[in-house]
Amino acid sequence: PQASVSNGGDEDGGRELVELKVIWNKNKYDVKFCLDSTGAELKQKIHSLTGLPPAMQKVMFKGLLPEEKTLREIKVTNGAKIMVVGSTINDVLAVNTPKEAAQQDVKAEENKKEPLCRQKQHRKVLDKGKPDDVMPSVKGVQERLPTVPLSGMYNKSGGKVRLTFKLEQDQLWIGTKERTEKLPMGSIKNVVSEPIEGHEDYHMMAFQLGPTEASYYWVYWVPTQYVDAIKDTVLGKWQYF
């Protein structure tokens, strides 16, 4: 067959060339390439055009391009479109670590090292001190849930909150001055708690209402004797003492 004429940029004189359209990341490159070169060699060529290392390229022509076969073997013809998927290291870093996300990761790491009650978001509530009408706590004792709502506690904004366990409806009611949220127990993914430093007979507790930690609903000054009963009731263990 008639060999294509090289346009000076190719050193494939005398070998049959094929014209390709390489498409990567909204960029299009017109490439003349030797039909008897392999997929691996094409990846090297793409690397020189895009800066994308061969190991990070996914090259598509009627499916994934086999590295060991030649373009002739996989029947690449003139004008063929070669799709390239992949990101350069710099792109990956830029996408994965926008400043805010990076800062959040650092914060999350720092937060893991210190007790919850020392973290800034919790300090501003705890520094208000123990609420006047908080329910009395009994240290070293585990009690079943009281028949009355647990009241006199604070939420994350420092407002008063009460917890009502509607066992017959399998619901937890979180009540504030403004409104009452009625949550099915089954919708609460997790319950975490930690004693409050200096007031270990009270806990701070969070109900996880969604997939991430951002969905935690925090309650402060939960009497310690009810902590296990709350966890067991909400998470469905029903182990009464």
Side-chain angles (χ1 to χ4, degrees):
Q2 173 77 39
S4 305
V5 179
S6 165
N7 63 358
D10 294 284
E11 294 158 20
D12 291 311
R15 294 198 289 164
E16 190 178 351
L17 299 179
V18 65
E19 293 185 4
L20 309 173
K21 282 200 182 308
V22 174
I23 301 163
W24 171 69
N25 215 0
K26 296 183 184 165
N27 298 314
K28 290 183 183 164
Y29 304 89
D30 289 316
V31 178
K32 285 188 178 173
F33 206 66
C34 177
L35 256 183
D36 293 308
S37 294
T38 61
E41 289 169 311
L42 180 59
K43 281 188 161 189
Q44 289 297 342
K45 178 72 173 173
I46 291 167
H47 181 203
S48 69
L49 292 169
T50 63
L52 187 62
M56 298 184 78
Q57 296 175 20
K58 209 176 193 178
V59 181
M60 315 292 285
F61 173 74
K62 298 181 182 171
L64 203 57
L65 185 85
E67 290 197 6
E68 68 288 352
K69 291 195 171 173
T70 66
L71 303 195
R72 192 189 297 279
E73 286 176 301
I74 57 172
K75 301 187 168 44
V76 174
T77 54
N78 260 335
K81 283 185 182 168
I82 306 286
M83 303 294 296
V84 181
V85 181
S87 305
T88 65
I89 295 285
N90 290 343
D91 291 339
V92 170
L93 293 176
V95 169
N96 286 350
T97 53
K99 271 195 191 138
E100 283 175 26
Q103 284 163 357
Q104 280 168 0
D105 290 347
V106 170
K107 265 201 195 137
E109 276 307 310
E110 285 171 1
N111 288 348
K112 279 179 199 159
K113 291 172 202 156
E114 60 179 349
L116 290 168
C117 57
R118 285 196 210 152
Q119 292 170 23
K120 197 171 162 191
Q121 58 164 330
H122 303 305
R123 277 268 44 112
K124 60 183 188 210
V125 181
L126 295 172
D127 286 347
K128 288 168 65 125
K130 191 155 64 169
D132 301 333
D133 54 349
V134 72
M135 294 175 83
S137 71
V138 187
K139 210 169 175 184
V141 174
Q142 291 179 340
E143 292 185 12
R144 55 173 67 196
L145 291 173
T147 50
V148 295
L150 287 177
S151 60
M153 297 167 295
Y154 289 138
N155 61 14
K156 199 157 94 177
S157 55
K160 280 294 176 66
V161 65
R162 70 184 170 277
L163 302 176
T164 310
F165 295 88
K166 293 282 185 182
L167 301 184
E168 66 286 355
Q169 287 155 288
D170 202 26
Q171 289 180 344
L172 166 61
W173 291 11
I174 300 178
T176 59
K177 200 168 67 181
E178 294 76 34
R179 67 175 181 276
T180 298
E181 300 274 359
K182 299 180 179 181
L183 304 170
M185 301 271 195
S187 71
I188 299 169
K189 310 272 187 297
N190 197 10
V191 182
V192 297
S193 73
E194 186 181 282
I196 296 169
E197 256 185 348
H199 301 275
E200 279 76 11
D201 47 341
Y202 288 94
H203 279 230
M204 46 191 284
M205 179 176 270
F207 299 95
Q208 187 179 344
L209 308 181
T212 66
E213 287 190 16
S215 65
Y216 279 12
Y217 187 98
W218 285 98
V219 178
Y220 303 85
W221 304 100
V222 179
T224 186
Q225 69 268 29
Y226 300 129
V227 167
D228 286 333
I230 292 171
K231 287 183 181 176
D232 290 345
T233 302
V234 170
L235 299 174
K237 293 190 182 126
W238 296 100
Q239 291 166 348
Y240 277 73
F241 314 104

